[in-house]
Amino acid sequence: MKVLVVPNAARAATRAAGLVAGVLDGKDRPVLGLATGSTMEPVYADLVARFRAGAISFSGATTFNLDEYVGLSPDHAQSYRQTMRRLLFDHVDIDADACHLPRGDASDPDAEALRYDAAIAAAGGIDIQLLGIGRNGHIGFNEPTSSLGARTRIKTLTQNTRAANASFFERPEEVPRYAITMGIANILEARHCVLVATGGAKAAAVARMVEGPLGADCPATALQLHPRATVIIDREAAAGLELIDYYQEIHPDGEEPGLV
Ligand code: F6R
């Protein structure tokens, strides 16, 4: 796991956006795995700014979001599809048909999950997967005790997660109880996983993910098994790491000087 401790949240977003920009630049038909949540908002703002400056194009890109709320149609204002439109899709040159999210309103969720996994495979797999982390260690909506071998399926959200997402809804009771989410197995198949965490509220989950024992009680620990996982965190999110001096020595302020 590459741990990049950057000075602040703005730098974390720029750094993550830079990695996505590198994939957009480097491939004719890049496949991006996208996440939602407040941590991702400055990442998408940075990507939109790069697009407006003419530095990147999404024209050949395909995207797959990690998850969608069950029960919300794609045109529901709080659906993740609409969120992604507001933050990214509507502001860049991406083909709307190439932007995939699981259908939260599918009449047969199991069939929808299989369809989604097949679509990812048909696109050739995910080149770079953006991830946030929940305070309870979830990635995607793989809540604690999720099978580390699971693929896309329905998960029941914890009260903790519903409370954390309540600010996106008018009333807390409107937060859906279920989500359809890629599983840890899908995430581990991405060729590069980039997890971004900022702020002190994430410090305990980040410490467990990076330095704690592998376990389904903290699904993010599964990234310890990934051959190319990059964790980009600000100093506050890094506050619980015991080996922080080591990470800073290898990557001062999150930079990558190479072997010296
Ligand atoms: C949502 C998702 C979640 C969030 C996580 C952190 O698509 O993948 O795992 O990344 O809940 O959310 P924020 O960034 O709002 O703290």
Side-chain angles (χ1 to χ4, degrees), residues 36 43 54 56 66 94 111 113 118 121 129 151 161 167 178 180 197 203 218 225 232 260:
T36 49
V43 178
I56 54 173
L66 284 165
I94 197 160
Q129 176 67 58
R151 297 183 171 279
T161 298
S167 62
Y178 306 101
I180 180 165
C218 179
L225 296 171
I232 304 175
V260 286

Side-chain angles (χ1 to χ4, degrees), residues 23-203:
V23 174
L24 289 171
D25 247 8
K27 283 196 83 171
D28 286 343
R29 306 204 63 78
V31 181
L32 311 179
L34 303 178
T36 49
S38 27
T39 313
M40 289 300 140
E41 293 186 10
V43 178
Y44 298 137
D46 187 299
L47 286 169
V48 170
R50 287 174 200 248
F51 168 72
R52 288 188 176 143
I56 54 173
S57 168
F58 291 76
S59 61
T62 300
T63 66
F64 289 93
N65 266 76
L66 284 165
D67 39 31
E68 180 58 283
Y69 288 119
V70 168
L72 303 193
S73 68
D75 53 9
H76 189 288
Q78 270 73 43
S79 69
Y80 281 157
R81 177 171 288 278
Q82 291 304 317
T83 303
M84 289 305 304
R85 287 188 58 183
R86 280 194 297 276
L87 295 174
L88 182 67
F89 299 157
D90 286 358
H91 309 290
V92 298
D93 60 343
I94 197 160
D95 175 1
D97 291 337
C99 300
H100 303 276
L101 289 91
R103 289 284 301 226
D105 60 349
S107 57
D108 182 344
D110 293 339
E112 171 61 7
L114 288 173
R115 184 198 67 78
Y116 202 64
D117 286 352
I120 295 170
I126 291 170
D127 292 308
I128 185 166
Q129 176 67 58
L130 287 176
L131 297 162
I133 184 170
R135 276 174 271 182
N136 62 5
H138 70 225
I139 50 175
F141 276 135
N142 296 281
E143 298 281 32
T145 71
S146 287
S147 159
L148 301 184
R151 297 183 171 279
T152 303
R153 75 234 181 276
I154 304 279
K155 284 298 293 180
T156 306
L157 302 177
T158 61
Q159 285 302 336
N160 178 314
T161 298
R162 292 180 72 210
N165 288 348
S167 62
F168 296 107
F169 290 79
E170 271 181 25
R171 292 192 308 274
E173 58 272 23
E174 286 176 19
V175 184
R177 287 196 62 207
Y178 306 101
I180 180 165
T181 180
M182 276 188 213
I184 298 294
N186 300 90
I187 292 169
L188 292 181
E189 281 169 6
R191 287 183 270 282
H192 187 186
C193 284
V194 175
L195 185 141
V196 186
T198 54
K202 300 291 174 67

Side-chain angles (χ1 to χ4, degrees), residues 178-257:
Y178 306 101
I180 180 165
T181 180
M182 276 188 213
I184 298 294
N186 300 90
I187 292 169
L188 292 181
E189 281 169 6
R191 287 183 270 282
H192 187 186
C193 284
V194 175
L195 185 141
V196 186
T198 54
K202 300 291 174 67
V206 165
R208 174 68 206 281
M209 166 181 69
V210 176
E211 297 177 343
L214 175 66
D217 58 321
C218 179
T221 58
L223 291 180
Q224 294 175 15
L225 296 171
H226 196 284
R228 193 168 176 223
T230 303
V231 174
I232 304 175
I233 47 182
D234 66 0
R235 288 186 185 139
E236 292 173 6
L241 292 169
E242 288 191 9
L243 299 176
I244 180 114
D245 292 347
Y246 177 60
Y247 312 131
Q248 289 283 26
E249 181 192 336
I250 311 170
H251 304 296
D253 280 339
E255 298 305 321
E256 297 185 70

